[in-house]
Amino acid sequence: MEKEIRFLDPSIERKGLLLEEHLSSFKQEQAPMFSLLEFNLSGLCNRQCVFCPRVDPDAFPNRNIHMPVGMYEGVLADLEKAGFDGTIIYSAFSEPLLYKDLDKVICLARERCPKVRTELVTNGDLLTLDRLKELFRSGLTMLAVSMYDGPHQMDHFKALKEKAGLSDAQMILRVRWLSVEEHFGITLSNRAGSVTIKEARIGALSSPARQACHYPFYQILIDYDGAVLLCAHDWGRRLIVGNVNDESTLSIWNNAAMKKVRVSLIKEDRGFRPCDRCDVHGVLIGRNYFEKWTEYYEK
């Protein structure tokens, strides 16, 4: 049975369009490269939101650990060699503005992969006009601000955007202050079993969902220690499919562990970790990637 969706994040459609545009550049006989590469740059966040595993600091504590720039550059070398022209996202399990080398890594991405899109998702608490301008000078394509506190934030961030001379496409303001009945303005999931919100009917599954999921067919996530996770919902790091300190990002993307996951999801089988606990809908975008990988494995 498919999960009920009570709120659909407008950013989902935007990501879907980016995916379709990127997929069109691959030849039929190729295994599709990921379109979205997400970095979790550190172990830090300055908030504890009720819909996030960080609401329980014992289960998900802050860690003052940051991704080494040298490791990041190694990933970029892989991407440059492959001519990657998809999207790099700085978000995942942390607040990216707490990463000390943020401007530097954005600049490096632009230098090594000039056709890449760079996106950053922030709660905006540390965002100033000077900081905003510096991010775009470094090569940022788009910044999304998730506003959790109330409508008064809209006027504040609109003013920042106007003063910085940014367009609606460059700076997206995301309403996240809605009531629990409105799912806070988020397409909620249980973060692969890591969070429970009884009022929103979000929690543990009694058995694995019988449903495909497209995430591992188009997206990859690299944690601050180089671990490559199945997707951004695996906050518990229950499945590490490789580490960029040991092998290239591209070889991990098409390795045996990833193939096993994809073949299972093609069969609508989520009976493995971390998918056995996950309630994410997972099929809202990326259908063409899912079909292309299915054809590739059949050959």
Side-chain angles (χ1 to χ4, degrees), residues 5-48:
I5 300 178
R6 296 171 61 193
F7 183 91
L8 192 62
D9 190 330
S11 66
I12 292 174
E13 181 180 1
R14 183 186 67 84
K15 282 187 177 181
L17 293 174
L18 289 175
L19 289 178
E20 298 308 312
E21 181 181 349
H22 192 232
L23 182 64
S24 64
S25 65
F26 291 103
K27 297 178 181 178
Q28 186 65 30
E29 66 273 11
Q30 285 182 303
M33 192 190 300
F34 43 86
S35 180
L36 304 179
L37 169 58
E38 188 163 1
F39 283 102
N40 186 50
L41 294 173
S42 82
L44 297 174
C45 187
N46 60 307
R47 287 198 174 224
Q48 294 176 341

Coordinates of all heavy atoms in Angstrom, one line a residue, residues 5-48:
I5 N 0.1 10.9 1.1 CA 0.9 12.1 1.1 C 0.0 13.3 1.4 O -0.9 13.6 0.6 CB 1.6 12.4 -0.3 CG1 2.5 11.2 -0.7 CG2 2.3 13.7 -0.4 CD1 3.1 11.3 -2.0
R6 N 0.2 13.9 2.5 CA -0.7 15.0 3.0 C -0.1 16.4 2.6 O -0.8 17.4 2.7 CB -0.9 14.9 4.5 CG -1.6 13.6 4.9 CD -1.6 13.4 6.4 NE -2.3 14.4 7.1 CZ -2.2 14.6 8.4 NH1 -1.5 13.8 9.1 NH2 -2.9 15.6 9.0
F7 N 1.1 16.5 2.3 CA 1.7 17.7 1.8 C 2.8 17.4 0.8 O 3.7 16.6 1.1 CB 2.3 18.5 3.0 CG 2.8 19.9 2.6 CD1 2.0 21.0 2.6 CD2 4.1 20.0 2.1 CE1 2.5 22.2 2.2 CE2 4.6 21.3 1.7 CZ 3.8 22.4 1.7
L8 N 2.7 18.1 -0.3 CA 3.7 17.9 -1.4 C 4.6 19.1 -1.5 O 4.1 20.2 -1.9 CB 3.0 17.6 -2.7 CG 3.9 17.1 -3.8 CD1 4.5 15.7 -3.4 CD2 3.1 16.9 -5.1
D9 N 5.9 19.0 -1.2 CA 6.8 20.1 -1.2 C 7.0 20.5 -2.7 O 7.3 19.8 -3.6 CB 8.2 19.5 -0.7 CG 9.2 20.7 -0.5 OD1 9.1 21.7 -1.2 OD2 10.0 20.5 0.4
P10 N 6.8 21.9 -2.9 CA 7.0 22.4 -4.3 C 8.3 22.1 -4.9 O 8.5 22.1 -6.1 CB 6.7 23.9 -4.1 CG 5.9 24.0 -2.9 CD 6.4 22.9 -2.0
S11 N 9.4 21.9 -4.1 CA 10.7 21.7 -4.6 C 10.8 20.4 -5.3 O 11.8 20.2 -6.1 CB 11.7 21.8 -3.5 OG 11.6 20.8 -2.5
I12 N 9.9 19.5 -5.0 CA 10.0 18.1 -5.7 C 9.8 18.2 -7.2 O 10.6 17.6 -7.9 CB 8.9 17.2 -5.1 CG1 9.2 16.9 -3.6 CG2 8.7 15.9 -5.9 CD1 8.2 16.1 -2.9
E13 N 8.9 19.0 -7.6 CA 8.7 19.2 -9.1 C 9.9 19.9 -9.7 O 10.3 19.5 -10.8 CB 7.5 20.1 -9.3 CG 7.2 20.3 -10.8 CD 6.0 21.2 -11.1 OE1 5.3 21.6 -10.1 OE2 5.7 21.4 -12.3
R14 N 10.5 20.8 -9.0 CA 11.7 21.5 -9.5 C 12.9 20.5 -9.7 O 13.5 20.5 -10.7 CB 12.1 22.6 -8.6 CG 13.3 23.4 -9.1 CD 13.8 24.4 -8.0 NE 14.3 23.7 -6.9 CZ 15.6 23.3 -6.8 NH1 16.4 23.5 -7.8 NH2 16.0 22.7 -5.7
K15 N 13.1 19.6 -8.7 CA 14.1 18.6 -8.8 C 13.8 17.6 -9.9 O 14.7 17.2 -10.6 CB 14.2 17.9 -7.5 CG 15.0 18.6 -6.4 CD 15.2 17.7 -5.2 CE 16.0 18.5 -4.1 NZ 16.3 17.6 -3.0
G16 N 12.5 17.3 -10.1 CA 12.2 16.4 -11.1 C 12.5 16.9 -12.5 O 13.0 16.1 -13.4
L17 N 12.3 18.2 -12.7 CA 12.7 18.8 -14.0 C 14.2 18.7 -14.2 O 14.6 18.5 -15.4 CB 12.1 20.2 -14.1 CG 10.6 20.3 -14.1 CD1 10.2 21.8 -14.0 CD2 10.0 19.7 -15.4
L18 N 15.0 19.0 -13.2 CA 16.4 18.9 -13.3 C 16.9 17.5 -13.7 O 17.8 17.3 -14.5 CB 17.1 19.3 -12.0 CG 17.0 20.8 -11.6 CD1 17.6 21.1 -10.2 CD2 17.7 21.7 -12.7
L19 N 16.2 16.5 -13.1 CA 16.6 15.1 -13.4 C 16.3 14.8 -14.8 O 17.2 14.2 -15.5 CB 15.8 14.2 -12.5 CG 16.1 14.1 -11.0 CD1 15.1 13.1 -10.3 CD2 17.5 13.7 -10.7
E20 N 15.2 15.2 -15.3 CA 14.9 14.8 -16.7 C 15.8 15.5 -17.7 O 16.3 14.9 -18.7 CB 13.4 15.3 -17.0 CG 12.4 14.6 -16.2 CD 12.5 13.1 -16.2 OE1 12.6 12.5 -17.3 OE2 12.5 12.5 -15.1
E21 N 16.2 16.7 -17.4 CA 17.1 17.5 -18.3 C 18.5 16.8 -18.3 O 19.1 16.6 -19.3 CB 17.3 18.9 -17.8 CG 18.2 19.7 -18.6 CD 18.4 21.2 -18.1 OE1 17.6 21.6 -17.2 OE2 19.3 21.9 -18.5
H22 N 18.9 16.3 -17.1 CA 20.3 15.7 -17.0 C 20.3 14.3 -17.6 O 21.2 14.0 -18.3 CB 20.6 15.6 -15.5 CG 22.1 15.2 -15.3 ND1 22.5 14.1 -14.5 CD2 23.2 15.7 -15.8 CE1 23.8 14.1 -14.5 NE2 24.3 15.0 -15.3
L23 N 19.2 13.5 -17.5 CA 19.2 12.2 -18.1 C 19.3 12.2 -19.6 O 19.8 11.3 -20.2 CB 17.9 11.5 -17.6 CG 17.7 10.0 -18.1 CD1 18.8 9.2 -17.5 CD2 16.3 9.5 -17.7
S24 N 18.8 13.2 -20.2 CA 18.7 13.3 -21.7 C 20.1 13.3 -22.3 O 20.2 13.0 -23.5 CB 17.9 14.5 -22.1 OG 18.7 15.7 -21.7
S25 N 21.1 13.5 -21.5 CA 22.5 13.6 -22.1 C 23.2 12.2 -22.1 O 24.2 12.1 -22.7 CB 23.4 14.5 -21.3 OG 23.5 14.0 -19.9
F26 N 22.5 11.2 -21.6 CA 23.1 9.8 -21.5 C 22.7 9.0 -22.7 O 21.6 9.0 -23.2 CB 22.8 9.1 -20.2 CG 23.4 9.7 -19.0 CD1 22.7 10.5 -18.2 CD2 24.7 9.5 -18.7 CE1 23.2 11.1 -17.1 CE2 25.3 10.1 -17.6 CZ 24.6 10.9 -16.8
K27 N 23.7 8.2 -23.2 CA 23.3 7.3 -24.3 C 22.6 6.1 -23.8 O 22.7 5.7 -22.6 CB 24.6 6.8 -25.0 CG 25.4 7.9 -25.6 CD 26.7 7.4 -26.2 CE 27.5 8.6 -26.9 NZ 28.8 8.1 -27.4
Q28 N 21.8 5.4 -24.6 CA 20.9 4.3 -24.2 C 21.7 3.2 -23.6 O 21.2 2.6 -22.6 CB 20.2 3.8 -25.4 CG 19.1 2.8 -25.1 CD 18.0 3.3 -24.3 OE1 17.7 4.5 -24.4 NE2 17.4 2.5 -23.4
E29 N 22.9 2.9 -24.0 CA 23.7 1.7 -23.5 C 24.4 2.0 -22.2 O 24.9 1.1 -21.6 CB 24.6 1.2 -24.6 CG 25.8 2.2 -24.9 CD 25.4 3.2 -26.0 OE1 24.2 3.3 -26.4 OE2 26.3 3.9 -26.5
Q30 N 24.5 3.3 -21.8 CA 25.2 3.6 -20.6 C 24.4 3.4 -19.3 O 23.1 3.5 -19.3 CB 25.5 5.1 -20.6 CG 26.7 5.5 -21.6 CD 26.9 7.0 -21.5 OE1 26.1 7.8 -21.7 NE2 28.2 7.3 -21.1
A31 N 25.1 3.0 -18.3 CA 24.5 3.1 -16.9 C 24.4 4.5 -16.5 O 25.4 5.2 -16.6 CB 25.3 2.3 -15.9
P32 N 23.2 5.0 -16.2 CA 23.1 6.4 -15.8 C 23.9 6.8 -14.7 O 24.0 6.1 -13.6 CB 21.6 6.6 -15.5 CG 20.9 5.3 -16.0 CD 21.9 4.3 -16.0
M33 N 24.6 7.9 -14.8 CA 25.3 8.5 -13.7 C 24.3 9.2 -12.8 O 23.2 9.5 -13.2 CB 26.4 9.5 -14.1 CG 27.4 10.0 -13.0 SD 28.4 11.4 -13.5 CE 29.2 10.7 -15.0
F34 N 24.7 9.3 -11.5 CA 23.8 10.1 -10.6 C 23.6 11.5 -11.1 O 24.5 12.1 -11.7 CB 24.4 10.1 -9.2 CG 25.8 10.4 -9.1 CD1 26.3 11.7 -9.1 CD2 26.7 9.4 -9.0 CE1 27.7 12.0 -9.1 CE2 28.1 9.6 -9.0 CZ 28.6 10.9 -9.0
S35 N 22.4 12.0 -10.9 CA 22.1 13.4 -11.3 C 22.3 14.4 -10.1 O 22.7 15.5 -10.3 CB 20.7 13.5 -11.8 OG 20.4 14.8 -12.2
L36 N 22.1 13.9 -8.9 CA 22.2 14.7 -7.7 C 23.3 14.1 -6.8 O 23.2 12.9 -6.5 CB 20.9 14.8 -7.0 CG 19.7 15.3 -7.7 CD1 18.5 15.3 -6.8 CD2 19.9 16.7 -8.3
L37 N 24.3 14.9 -6.4 CA 25.3 14.4 -5.4 C 25.2 15.3 -4.2 O 25.3 16.6 -4.3 CB 26.7 14.6 -6.0 CG 27.9 14.4 -5.1 CD1 27.8 13.1 -4.4 CD2 29.2 14.6 -5.8
E38 N 24.8 14.7 -3.1 CA 24.6 15.5 -1.9 C 25.8 15.3 -0.9 O 26.2 14.2 -0.7 CB 23.3 15.1 -1.2 CG 22.9 16.0 0.0 CD 21.4 15.8 0.3 OE1 20.7 15.0 -0.3 OE2 21.0 16.5 1.3
F39 N 26.3 16.4 -0.3 CA 27.3 16.3 0.6 C 26.8 16.7 2.0 O 26.1 17.7 2.2 CB 28.4 17.4 0.3 CG 29.4 16.9 -0.8 CD1 29.2 17.5 -2.1 CD2 30.4 16.0 -0.6 CE1 30.1 17.1 -3.1 CE2 31.2 15.6 -1.6 CZ 31.1 16.2 -2.8
N40 N 27.1 15.8 3.0 CA 26.9 16.2 4.4 C 28.3 16.7 4.9 O 29.2 15.8 5.2 CB 26.4 15.0 5.2 CG 26.1 15.4 6.6 OD1 25.4 16.4 6.9 ND2 26.6 14.7 7.6
L41 N 28.5 18.0 5.0 CA 29.8 18.5 5.2 C 30.3 18.5 6.6 O 31.5 18.6 6.9 CB 29.8 20.0 4.7 CG 29.7 20.2 3.2 CD1 29.5 21.6 2.9 CD2 30.8 19.6 2.4
S42 N 29.4 18.3 7.6 CA 29.8 18.3 9.0 C 28.8 17.5 9.8 O 27.8 17.1 9.3 CB 30.0 19.7 9.5 OG 28.8 20.3 9.9
G43 N 29.2 17.4 11.1 CA 28.3 16.8 12.1 C 27.5 17.8 12.9 O 27.0 17.4 14.0
L44 N 27.3 19.0 12.4 CA 26.7 20.1 13.2 C 25.4 20.6 12.7 O 25.3 20.8 11.5 CB 27.7 21.2 13.4 CG 29.1 20.9 14.1 CD1 30.0 22.2 13.9 CD2 28.8 20.6 15.5
C45 N 24.5 20.9 13.6 CA 23.4 21.8 13.3 C 23.0 22.6 14.5 O 23.2 22.1 15.6 CB 22.2 20.9 12.9 SG 20.8 21.9 12.3
N46 N 22.5 23.8 14.3 CA 22.2 24.7 15.4 C 20.7 24.6 15.8 O 20.3 25.3 16.7 CB 22.5 26.1 15.1 CG 21.7 26.6 13.9 OD1 21.8 26.0 12.8 ND2 21.1 27.7 14.0
R47 N 20.0 23.6 15.2 CA 18.6 23.5 15.6 C 18.2 22.0 15.9 O 19.0 21.1 15.6 CB 17.7 23.9 14.4 CG 17.6 25.4 14.3 CD 16.4 25.9 13.5 NE 16.3 27.3 13.4 CZ 15.2 28.0 13.6 NH1 14.1 27.3 13.8 NH2 15.2 29.3 13.5
Q48 N 17.1 21.9 16.6 CA 16.6 20.5 16.9 C 15.1 20.5 16.6 O 14.2 20.8 17.4 CB 16.8 20.2 18.4 CG 18.2 20.0 18.8 CD 18.4 19.8 20.3 OE1 17.5 20.1 21.1 NE2 19.5 19.3 20.7

